[in-house]
Structures are given as C-alpha cells and as structure tokens.
Amino acid sequence: MVKQLPKRSEVPTEETWNLKDLFATEEDYTSALESLQKEVTAFEKKYQGTIKTAEQVVAVLKDYEAIYLQLIPLGTYTNLASSVDQTDDEAQMRDSQFGSISAKIGSQLSFVTSELLDLSEEVLQQAMEQSEEYSHYLKELIREKQYRLHPEVEKALAAYSSAFDAPYGLYNTTKMVDMNFEDFTVDGKAYPLSYVSFEGDWESEPDTKKRRAAFDAFSSKLREYQHTTAKTFDSHLQIEKITSDLRGYDSVIDYLLFNQEVDQSMYHRQIDLITEELAPHMRKYAKLLQDVYGLEKITFADLKAPLDASYEPKITVEESKKYINDALAIMGPDYLDMVKRSYDERWTDFAQNKGKATGAFCASPYGTHPYILISWTGSMEDVFVLAHELGHAGHFYNAHKKQNAFNSRPSTYFVEAPSTMNEMLVANHLLSNSEDLKFKRWVISSIISRTYYHNFVTHLLEAAYQRKVYEKIDAGGSVNASILNELKRSVLEDFWGDTVEINEGAELTWMRQPHYYMGLYPYTYSAGLTISTEVAKRVLDEGQPAVDDWIKVLQAGGTKTPAELAQMAGVDITTEEPLRNTIAYIGSLIDQLVELTEQINAEAQLTNS
C-alpha cells in the first residue's frame, strides 16, 4: 500500500544525507561565500590584463583552480539542500541567491579564458610543457578557441548564466511544487498518488487495474501543466539555439556534442541502430508480458510491470549492503571501503518525502565525498539504482585521487559507463548464485526491465524524440505542447509498432525527464551501457586484469576522449561492433526469459496434473 509522503521534517535523520560534511553550520556556509567573493575580486585585480608569458599562465591557473575549489562545495551545498525539499522556501531562496552570486563570479573570472586564448599557441605550448598538471586544461582550451567570442561578450554571457538556467529551475518548481496529485480510485477504494510513488511503485504495480488507473490519474495531472512545461522547455531550447548561432556552430547538435568530444556519426549511430535493431527484441519482451498477465492487449502503461511479481523480494537499506558488497567485491578493497563509507557516513539520502526530486543522482564535489539521492521503496530495483549511483561515486572517488579539479570529469558520453557497469556486476553476481528457474527468470527480467529497459529503451527513445526536437529548433522553429506530444507519440509508435498500444497519456512522458535541460544527455545512457556491457564480459572472462584496466580508466577522469577511455578498457566504440554485440546480448536475455517461462509453466502443469 502506497502511503502519503511525509514532510521533510518528519523523516528519520538516518535516512538523510549529512550535508555537515560540506558546511557544519549555516554560518560556515555564509562565511565561506563572503570570503570567496572577496578573493575573486582580489584575483581579478591581481591578474586581469597581466597574462603574457608561460610562467604567468601557470601562476594564474594555480590561483584560478584554488578559487574553483572553493566554489564547488558552495554550489553543491545549496543544490543538494534544495533538491531534497523543493517546498522549503529558505533552501530554494539560498540556491537562487547562490546562482546569482555564481553568475557574477563567472563574469568576473571570464577574463582568464579570454586572455589565455588571446595568447599565441607557442606561449600556451610552453605553459603546457612547464606544467603537466594544467596541460590537458590548456589543450582543451585551444580546441575551444574557434568558438570563443569577444572578451566583453563572454563576460556578459557569464553574467547571464543564472538567467539562462532559469527554465530548468522553473521546470522543477512546476513538477515538484505546483503539481499536487489527487487520490485515484479502483473498485471504490482510494489510493494516494505522487510523482515519487508513481515512478517508484505504481508504474510497476502488478495489479493491472491499479497500474492502469494510476497511469491515467498521473497523466491527467501532467496534462494540466503541459502548456506551461512546453513553454518552459521552448525557452531553454531558444537559449541553446541563440548560443549555438552566436558561437558559430553549424547546428545546436554540434554545439551540444562539442564538449562530449564525439562527432555526429557516433551520436546518430547510437540512436538509429538501437531504434532499428533493438525494437524486435523489445516487442518480443512486451508480448511475453502480455501473455504472462493474460492481457487482451498490452499498453504503454503495462511495460514496467514485473514479469513475476510473486518473486520480487522486498529489501531494506540494511539488507542492500550484502547485495552491493558481494556484487562489487571484484572491484577490490579500496572500492569496497568507499561503499562502506557511503553507508556509515550518510553519503546517501534514502528518504521519501514531499518535494524531493524524483529519480536518482550522484553529486561528486571535488575535495569531499560523493552524495547520492534516491527514494528508497524497498524493491530490488532500488538495489540496481543504488549500485548505479555508487558507480558514479566510485568513478569520481578514483578520478579525484589522480586528477586535479580541471581534469577529473570525463565527457558525458562516457559518464554513464561506470554506473551501468555496476548494474552489470550486480546482475552477473545474482545470476551466478542460483540455478533455480524462477530465480534466474526473476534476475534476468530485472536486468531487462531495470538496466536495459531504462537505459536502452526509456532514455534512448527520449534521445530519438530529443533529436526530432532539435531538428525543428535548428530549422528556426519553436515547439509547444501539441508539437512535443506529437513528436513523442511518433517515436513510441515507431519503436513499439503494432505490438503495444500507445494509450492516451503516453505522449506526455516528455514532461517527466529533467535530462532535456542537460544537453544531449539521454543517448549517453545507452552509450555508457554499451561500453559497460562489453567490459563486464571481459571481467567475467578475464577477472583481475580486466578489473585493473577498468580502475585505470576510472582514475583517468577527463584526461582522455570517450573513445580513448573505452580503448583503455578494451572496447572500440568507433565501430558498430560493441553496440551490435550489446543488442544481441539483450536479445539473448529475452530469449532466455521466453524459454524459462515455458519451462516454468510446463513444470507447473506437471505438478498440477
């Protein structure tokens, strides 16, 4: 039974993360912010107009990094505090205030990049030779040079950064504060509904009447806010289009791919190949669900239903430790120590409460430990989600040890590989520990419905839809709710064909995803999982040598391109082979589910006869 969500003040402290590791008191935060503002002003006065030689380049970068290191915990603190309770006016105002101050700081510091890029490449090369620590940063700066604008324009754009981020803030406020869901009714009985309870419980409810009723009620509320949400999204898109044009990119897609360090061929291949070749496998999975549930027709609202609800164990946070530790033990003692600390030191916010951001994420501020947000419902899916976020934590835990603050973050194309790698390790561990048919089916169905459905279907179809949106924006157009609904429905219908009925409300799923405000992010989930599927096979086949390679990849942080990082792990993502291998693997898992279901049904018939 899903209960009404408590207020943030009502949840147990042990279920929340400990932000005191960032700032022990509010006074400490305020003092640090005031100190930073003074240092930025002094930095600007000391260095502006003085950067001429290689020695001066190294000196300014050293002090620039010191300021950056002070900025990180401040932004993390305000963002995390607001993400767990969007109804907390004080936290929201603090976050908004920091955004404005951060924009001013960014404007004050914009001269650094502009003056560095005004130098000759000869001077920059000399600085790279003098300082290995900053050589990668300077190399990336040179790559960006052709798209930089006049220093005064860059300063103005930096000053507007918090205003440019406003659509994302408005999206979250609409979603988490203004939307209040009424109870829905099935057979005369009322059930509570919220964003968190729908995505954490009702969407995968085994009772078809309740699942479909919850979907209809949830969609009905989304529909009330579709025009505001569409206008918010269009504002974000127009900002991206203007910025892309100003900087001289050929398209918004090129602009958004630049920092990912991949070209359009890798982007389009990921979407096109999966849409075309994975669809037949997923339609077979949908048909299996339809048969198991005895449905006359399967709808979009049924696709997250568990294959065997009777075999789904409820798992507490405490019980999750054994699953996580056993599955990730192969990563070594240092990695497991990080996992242990995450529990012991309250790195994770497990609570369910009103106003908390949906989904899950891991923030990894340089200079302190990672923070994980999740809303624990007690399902096995939560174990996979936690393992996923610990994958992000383990990535930056390792990268921060070996790289400076400028070099620690890799391209977003690669960033989901370490997270999905952990999901694969959990799945492989569970599969290797039982020969029971029903348990094997449950594990494989968890891999399909959680890991691959989430990353290769949900996020991939978001990417296909997102590409259609940017094609319109690049052609000089804009979008509204009707256009977005039409685009989303067409993507779903193309993928699922006649197998799944795309029922009313499915077209509104574009409203649920915050990733659209983070550039071309959705497709990177399938890209990361393609890499991690191949690496997980290596780990199974080769053991420690593959793990050692993977740890080196994590430690490399952002010092290499996605293709180079994957190559270090033994995967060549410049070809179609890894992606085709992964799609074939998904197909083989679905075939196993069909075979196991037939075997289980046959045994049940023998037992009953």
Side-chain angles (χ1 to χ4, degrees):
M1 171 67 184
V2 178
K3 299 177 181 178
Q4 291 283 11
L5 293 178
K7 295 177 182 177
R8 180 68 179 180
S9 59
E10 297 170 345
V11 301
T13 302
E14 62 268 20
E15 294 181 9
T16 66
W17 51 29
N18 180 20
L19 296 186
K20 291 184 184 299
D21 289 346
L22 290 166
F23 294 101
T25 66
E26 189 70 19
E27 290 72 27
D28 289 343
Y29 163 77
T30 303
S31 175
L33 185 58
E34 290 173 353
S35 175
L36 174 63
Q37 289 173 277
K38 291 176 183 176
E39 286 195 35
V40 169
T41 299
F43 175 89
E44 184 182 21
K45 186 177 180 180
K46 178 181 179 181
Y47 285 110
Q48 189 167 22
T50 69
I51 311 171
K52 307 296 182 186
T53 67
E55 290 77 14
Q56 289 168 331
V57 169
V58 175
V60 74
L61 286 179
K62 189 176 182 65
D63 285 353
Y64 185 51
E65 184 186 13
I67 286 176
Y68 186 51
L69 288 173
Q70 292 178 63
L71 192 63
I72 290 169
L74 290 162
T76 304
Y77 181 74
T78 64
N79 177 258
L80 295 184
S82 66
S83 67
V84 291
D85 188 2
Q86 307 235 0
T87 68
D88 183 338
D89 290 341
E90 185 179 332
Q92 299 308 310
M93 291 304 295
R94 188 206 295 119
D95 194 38
S96 179
Q97 178 199 38
F98 175 78
S100 298
I101 293 172
S102 178
K104 182 182 177 183
I105 289 172
S107 181
Q108 287 179 270
L109 297 176
S110 65
F111 77 87
V112 175
T113 302
S114 295
E115 289 191 22
L116 288 175
L117 288 177
D118 274 345
L119 298 173
S120 68
E121 284 200 27
E122 181 184 359
V123 171
L124 293 177
Q125 289 290 345
Q126 288 173 2
M128 291 166 69
E129 290 167 9
Q130 287 183 24
S131 173
E132 184 181 349
E133 185 177 8
Y134 299 122
S135 62
H136 181 75
Y137 175 83
L138 291 169
K139 177 184 173 185
E140 287 301 298
L141 206 60
I142 293 169
R143 192 172 80 91
E144 187 187 336
K145 187 170 185 174
Q146 61 181 310
Y147 299 112
R148 294 289 295 186
L149 301 171
H150 186 279
E152 289 302 315
V153 178
E154 292 292 348
K155 186 174 183 178
L157 288 174
Y160 272 106
S161 62
S162 64
F164 293 157
D165 290 338
Y168 182 40
L170 179 57
Y171 166 79
N172 279 322
T173 300
T174 304
K175 176 179 175 179
M176 300 311 304
V177 181
D178 285 345
M179 284 192 195
N180 287 306
F181 294 84
E182 296 80 19
D183 293 354
F184 67 94
T185 303
V186 177
D187 295 333
K189 186 173 181 180
Y191 298 90
L193 182 66
S194 68
Y195 234 111
V196 171
S197 69
F198 178 75
E199 295 190 339
D201 290 293
W202 292 122
E203 193 172 26
S204 54
E205 164 65 40
D207 185 310
T208 298
K209 289 178 72 173
K210 292 178 185 175
R211 183 177 64 251
R212 290 179 175 179
F215 180 88
D216 290 342
F218 183 75
S219 300
S220 178
K221 180 56 66 173
L222 290 185
R223 191 172 287 107
E224 292 176 18
Y225 290 87
Q226 62 178 320
H227 299 295
T228 300
T229 307
K231 191 67 178 177
T232 301
F233 185 35
D234 188 55
S235 299
H236 171 76
L237 294 167
Q238 298 306 326
I239 290 169
E240 289 182 320
K241 172 63 174 170
I242 292 166
T243 306
S244 168
D245 288 347
L246 279 175
R247 293 197 177 283
Y249 289 90
D250 292 335
S251 68
V252 181
I253 288 177
D254 285 321
Y255 162 57
L256 296 174
L257 285 177
F258 181 81
N259 284 337
Q260 292 187 8
E261 299 180 277
V262 296
D263 58 27
Q264 283 209 26
S265 67
M266 290 173 69
Y267 167 70
H268 291 302
R269 181 177 68 215
Q270 203 70 25
I271 297 173
D272 293 338
L273 206 59
I274 295 175
T275 301
E276 180 181 345
E277 298 193 9
L278 182 63
H281 297 303
M282 293 311 300
R283 291 173 191 175
K284 180 185 286 189
Y285 176 71
K287 188 70 173 64
L288 176 61
L289 278 177
Q290 181 180 356
D291 292 343
V292 167
Y293 278 85
L295 302 176
E296 183 179 338
K297 60 184 178 184
I298 186 165
T299 72
F300 183 80
D302 302 317
L303 291 171
K304 293 288 185 73
L307 191 61
D308 187 353
S310 66
Y311 214 88
E312 179 78 19
K314 299 301 287 184
I315 296 170
T316 65
V317 170
E318 184 63 29
E319 290 167 341
S320 72
K321 294 178 182 178
K322 179 170 173 51
Y323 283 101
I324 297 288
N325 284 330
D326 290 350
L328 303 185
I330 195 168
M331 295 294 288
D334 185 57
Y335 199 97
L336 279 191
D337 179 63
M338 178 212 70
V339 172
K340 184 177 186 302
R341 287 182 60 200
S342 75
Y343 284 101
D344 294 347
E345 299 173 17
R346 287 175 44 217
W347 295 4
T348 305
D349 200 275
F350 293 103
Q352 288 194 60
N353 61 264
K354 183 175 175 59
K356 184 174 179 179
T358 59
F361 66 73
C362 177
S364 300
Y366 197 95
T368 186
H369 61 73
Y371 282 91
I372 293 170
L373 179 141
I374 182 175
S375 294
W376 194 266
T377 64
S379 70
M380 188 63 198
E381 180 171 339
D382 290 339
V383 176
F384 279 93
V385 175
L386 182 56
H388 178 106
E389 300 306 335
L390 283 167
H392 287 306
H395 187 184
F396 293 108
Y397 174 82
N398 276 279
H400 291 172
K401 285 182 176 182
K402 298 290 184 178
Q403 307 299 334
N404 66 29
F406 294 144
N407 294 348
S408 65
R409 301 197 73 85
S411 156
T412 52
Y413 183 96
F414 184 84
V415 81
E416 293 299 337
S419 53
T420 53
M421 173 66 172
N422 277 13
E423 292 189 55
M424 297 306 300
L425 293 177
V426 170
N428 289 335
H429 169 71
L430 291 173
L431 276 177
S432 65
N433 279 276
S434 178
E435 288 301 317
D436 178 80
L437 294 181
K438 292 197 77 173
F439 183 80
K440 285 188 72 173
R441 182 175 71 164
W442 170 73
V443 173
I444 294 172
S445 67
S446 294
I447 301 170
I448 293 295
S449 64
R450 161 59 213 165
T451 300
Y452 284 110
Y453 190 102
H454 189 67
N455 298 297
F456 256 73
V457 180
T458 299
H459 288 318
L460 195 281
L461 294 184
E462 287 163 358
Y465 151 83
Q466 188 182 38
R467 182 171 63 176
K468 288 177 180 286
V469 169
Y470 280 118
E471 286 169 355
K472 282 191 172 295
I473 299 302
D474 266 328
S478 59
V479 295
N480 58 24
S482 297
I483 290 171
L484 295 174
N485 289 343
E486 181 184 335
L487 291 178
K488 186 62 182 179
R489 177 171 285 277
S490 70
V491 166
L492 294 174
E493 289 176 343
D494 286 347
F495 187 82
W496 292 109
D498 297 332
T499 305
V500 177
E501 178 184 306
I502 308 303
N503 53 306
E504 189 177 351
E507 73 282 359
L508 297 170
T509 52
W510 63 267
M511 295 176 64
R512 295 165 55 183
Q513 185 51 268
H515 289 155
Y516 298 136
Y517 295 84
M518 305 172 190
L520 297 175
Y521 196 18
Y523 92 103
T524 66
Y525 280 87
S526 64
L529 186 51
T530 299
I531 295 167
S532 62
T533 299
E534 293 286 86
V535 176
K537 287 180 190 173
R538 271 200 70 203
V539 170
L540 282 176
D541 293 341
E542 302 173 29
Q544 197 60 47
V547 172
D548 292 343
D549 285 346
W550 188 240
I551 294 294
K552 289 174 186 174
V553 170
L554 303 184
Q555 292 173 344
T559 59
K560 298 183 181 299
T561 68
E564 290 169 340
L565 290 170
Q567 194 67 54
M568 286 175 66
V571 183
D572 184 1
I573 58 171
T574 64
T575 71
E576 292 184 351
E577 185 180 4
L579 183 52
R580 289 188 183 278
N581 288 346
T582 302
I583 293 171
Y585 177 63
I586 298 170
S588 72
L589 290 176
I590 292 171
D591 288 342
Q592 287 182 61
L593 287 179
V594 173
E595 292 169 10
L596 286 166
T597 300
E598 290 172 352
Q599 288 178 265
I600 290 166
N601 290 343
E603 287 187 3
Q605 287 177 355
L606 282 174
T607 303
N608 295 331
S609 61

